[in-house]
Amino acid sequence: NAGVTQTPKFRVLKTGQSMTLLCAQDMNHEYMYWYRQDPGMGLRLIHYSVGEGTTAKGEVPDGYNVSRLKKQNFLLGLESAAPSQTSVYFCASRTGTKNIQYFGAGTRLSVL
Amino acid sequence: GEDVEQSLFLSVREGDSSVINCTYTDSSSTYLYWYKQEPGAGLQLLTYIFSNMDMKQDQRLTVLLNKKDKHLSLRIADTQTGDSAIYFCAEIPSGAGSYQLTFGKGTKLSVIP
């Protein structure tokens, strides 16, 4: 049972390039989340989804787009990467009860 | 707005007890959580406490909840070097339909051998 899997694990982009981060969960969870983690800032919610075909904005959504075409996958897109998007990105999915979130191992993104 | 406050650093000697403190803002949070993040890894749920409880014990971990003061603490008995990690406190913010969690900035625990 893999849990929450994020790909890629590392990526370096040039300013203006685009990329998609993939999150896959095999726990049949309805809810999925994308966070970014920066030194001294803790975890900040970018976007989330409460079910297949639905997405919603979190605390810091600007510069990102998401899609949830399949229940098990949640994609995070950067259309035109900026150095301010250098961060570690975490995906999580959630059980229906107790709001317990399960996290992936993270994607370390550097934008030069 | 909602905010969860934690001290950023804690250093203890191996074998001592560690106490990590957290203050939260939303008294309606049904559950409160402690997550652990080891270097280079994602967050992992360590324990949680239901809001109508004062204390929860699980092996070396003891969680204390003071709802009046909105204070949550995590005590780790007989701290080991493997406990070195960042510990995050989290609450369910009001108005979020219980979809979200609000995390503190994390307390980095360093265990001195």
Side-chain angles (χ1 to χ4, degrees):
Chain A
N1 190 341
V4 179
T5 303
Q6 293 183 232
T7 52
K9 290 185 169 46
F10 303 93
R11 186 72 185 269
V12 178
L13 290 179
K14 294 182 180 178
T15 298
Q17 287 185 317
S18 64
M19 78 163 294
T20 300
L21 282 67
L22 171 64
C23 177
Q25 54 97 1
D26 61 3
M27 297 174 283
N28 201 35
H29 289 167
E30 289 292 338
Y31 307 100
M32 296 186 74
Y33 306 83
W34 276 108
Y35 295 89
R36 59 178 291 173
Q37 184 179 31
D38 303 289
M41 301 294 289
L43 282 168
R44 292 183 291 170
L45 181 65
I46 304 171
H47 286 280
Y48 65 99
S49 168
V50 301
E52 182 179 319
T54 71
T55 63
K57 293 180 180 180
E59 181 186 353
V60 289
D62 294 342
Y64 305 95
N65 57 76
V66 287
S67 64
R68 184 97 182 271
L69 298 179
K70 293 183 179 181
K71 186 177 183 179
Q72 64 267 34
N73 295 336
F74 195 28
L75 279 64
L76 178 71
L78 286 73
E79 289 187 348
S80 179
S84 61
Q85 293 177 305
T86 294
S87 188
V88 181
Y89 291 86
F90 288 101
C91 175
S93 69
R94 198 201 97 172
T95 61
T97 58
K98 301 186 179 73
N99 201 349
I100 295 172
Q101 295 187 17
Y102 295 85
F103 285 78
T107 296
R108 284 149 184 80
L109 175 66
S110 294
V111 183
L112 306 177
Chain B
E2 297 85 13
D3 208 2
V4 177
E5 300 282 347
Q6 303 176 237
S7 54
L8 294 181
F9 301 98
L10 177 65
S11 182
V12 299
R13 293 202 173 276
E14 188 175 16
D16 289 348
S17 292
S18 307
V19 179
I20 302 171
N21 294 301
C22 167
T23 57
Y24 61 96
T25 57
D26 199 326
S27 58
S28 64
S29 186
T30 313
Y31 294 93
L32 292 147
Y33 309 84
W34 284 104
Y35 279 82
K36 177 183 180 181
Q37 184 182 31
E38 295 182 351
L43 278 71
Q44 185 175 14
L45 179 72
L46 197 59
T47 187
Y48 63 92
I49 187 167
F50 191 47
S51 59
N52 68 352
M53 298 171 64
D54 297 325
M55 184 180 83
K56 179 179 180 181
Q57 191 151 3
D58 183 3
Q59 298 183 338
R60 292 190 298 121
L61 305 178
T62 303
V63 178
L64 295 178
L65 175 59
N66 181 330
K67 287 193 71 174
K68 175 178 172 290
D69 295 336
K70 295 182 185 175
H71 184 265
L72 184 73
S73 68
L74 173 70
R75 179 177 180 269
I76 305 173
D78 187 25
T79 310
Q80 303 297 308
T81 54
D83 295 322
S84 293
I86 302 176
Y87 293 81
F88 292 89
C89 170
E91 67 169 357
I92 302 172
S94 62
S98 79
Y99 298 149
Q100 301 178 28
L101 289 177
T102 298
F103 290 87
K105 290 182 169 51
T107 299
K108 184 174 183 179
L109 174 64
S110 298
V111 182
I112 305 165

